[in-house]
Every structure is written in structure tokens, then in C-alpha cells.
Amino acid sequence: MFDAQKILQQVLGGQRDTGGQQKSGGMISSDHVTGAAVGGLAGLLLGSKSARKIAGPIAQLGGVAAVGTLAYQAWQAWQAKQNNQPPAVSNTAEGTKFLPQNAVMRNDLSLMVLSAMIAASKSDGHIDATEQEKIFARIDENDLSSEEKAFLMDQFRRPLNIAELAASAKTPEYAAEVYTASVLAIQSDTASEIAYLNNLAAALQLDPGLRSNIDAVVKSA
């Protein structure tokens, strides 16, 4: 199995996510796929949309740790409200169900998050056959293993399948992370993107309060 965390790290920036032994890095933003040479893998994976930028301490985590922490913070606030308690705020989800320390589980989670982000980037319907070929050409030029390239190309070729994506989230915590990653990947400024997130939230069976918290946490990040 290839290192999915490495690819996700290049999309979301921050530190190298190695489960504790990390290295500083910077944020990577993305623009249109034609600017992928500048935007790196973020430009490739997120197609014609610009990824949301994460700032502050969470940005320093990078990769799946950043996604997990955002989802975890939203989850904490949601549970606290249900129990009429003040929300506990954590700067990291490390060691929780949102960010397993087991290397295999962490890599599987990164694969799921990557799939969610790519699916969301296709939700506006702007990645046509011509643009897809440009994406494939740029993927082929990047410093990726053959397995990594094959995975990315397969994800772009796949038709949108919300039910399949939702089914990959085996736990409520992972469902929250899939939705968090999807919101991060797009700006939610078109009717098709909004409809996609609505349908995804329904398929994931997200509580409306939890979904609202995730939207707010991502927006403020």
C-alpha cells in the first residue's frame, strides 16, 4: 500500500504527518487545474476549484491530522451542546477515534479523505474529458509512484457515487471526517456543490447539529 498520507500532506500543507515525528512545512493553495504546475498536487486533486485554506495551529498539523482535528472539534461542540455542557476544545485529535495511531488505519483513513476531497471537487461538473486529460498528464509528470498515480487517475475516472463514499465511512467519526474533507475541498458557492453536500450529509446520516458545527468550524479555520 502506498503512502496516502504523503499525497494528502501535499494538498493540505502543514507538517509531515508521521504520527508524532513531524517536520515543519507551509500551506499549499490551489487554483485552476491549468495552474497545477504552481499549485502542485492541490491543484491536481481539487480540479477547477480552490481549496479552503487552513490557518493557525491546525494548519501546522497538516494532512489527515488537520481534517481529523477539525472534525473532532465540531464533534466535541456538538456533544457538549447535547449534554448542556461547555465545549472542550482540543488542538489535536491525536489518539482519538478521529486520528488513529495505528499506521495502517491512519493510511486507510487518508485514502478515504483523499477520495472524499476528489469526489467533492467533481461535484460542480466542471471537470470534463478535456480537463481530465490535463489532470492525468500533470499526475503523470509528478514525482509519484506508479501505484499513487494509478490511484489518483482511478479516483478521477470514477463517476460520483455518494452511496459508495458514505459506505466507506464505517464509524460516525469517520462519517464526520468525510464530510469535513468534502467541505474543505470546495467553496460551496454553486447550486450543484450545495446539493452535493446536502446529499452527502444525508447519506452519511449526519446529525443536522453536527453538520452545522462542521460547516462553522471549517469556515472559521
Side-chain angles (χ1 to χ4, degrees):
M1 179 62 69
F2 64 86
D3 186 1
Q5 297 181 69
K6 180 187 73 175
I7 301 176
L8 192 57
Q9 197 69 32
Q10 293 184 54
V11 177
L12 294 175
Q15 297 177 334
R16 178 71 175 93
D17 182 12
T18 55
Q21 297 176 0
Q22 300 175 320
K23 212 174 171 176
S24 296
M27 286 295 297
I28 300 176
S29 62
S30 64
D31 296 301
H32 194 276
V33 71
T34 53
V38 177
L41 286 178
L44 290 173
L45 299 184
L46 302 179
S48 61
K49 300 302 293 182
S50 295
R52 296 176 183 271
K53 293 182 179 180
I54 307 174
I58 295 177
Q60 298 304 311
L61 296 173
V64 71
V67 177
T69 296
L70 288 172
Y72 181 49
Q73 290 184 348
W75 181 280
Q76 286 181 304
W78 170 63
Q79 286 200 322
K81 188 173 183 179
Q82 288 186 314
N83 297 325
N84 294 316
Q85 296 177 348
V89 178
S90 173
N91 287 329
T92 178
E94 190 70 50
T96 70
K97 293 181 180 180
F98 291 85
L99 195 59
Q101 294 181 323
N102 178 275
V104 174
M105 293 176 64
R106 203 178 185 103
N107 202 61
D108 287 346
L109 176 58
S110 297
L111 283 173
M112 184 174 63
V113 167
L114 273 171
S115 296
M117 296 186 78
I118 294 173
S121 76
K122 297 188 292 185
S123 64
D124 63 0
H126 288 170
I127 302 181
D128 56 20
T130 300
E131 190 162 9
Q132 189 177 86
E133 287 304 314
K134 292 179 183 178
I135 292 171
F136 290 170
R138 289 297 301 141
I139 289 175
D140 199 45
E141 292 171 4
N142 267 265
D143 184 21
L144 300 171
S145 70
S146 58
E147 193 177 6
E148 290 166 345
K149 291 176 182 177
F151 169 78
L152 293 176
M153 289 180 180
D154 177 66
Q155 291 299 308
F156 275 108
R157 287 192 184 103
R158 286 188 177 191
L160 282 177
N161 190 326
I162 290 177
E164 182 180 350
L165 178 60
S168 71
K170 302 297 186 183
T171 67
E173 292 83 4
Y174 280 11
E177 288 189 71
V178 164
Y179 183 77
T180 301
S182 302
V183 177
L184 276 169
I186 54 180
Q187 297 296 330
S188 309
D189 55 3
T190 68
S192 58
E193 290 171 344
I194 293 170
Y196 176 80
L197 291 176
N198 287 340
N199 291 333
L200 178 62
L204 291 167
Q205 300 182 12
L206 285 185
D207 180 276
L210 175 58
R211 181 190 177 185
S212 179
N213 280 2
I214 292 173
D215 289 336
V217 167
V218 172
K219 184 177 181 181
S220 65

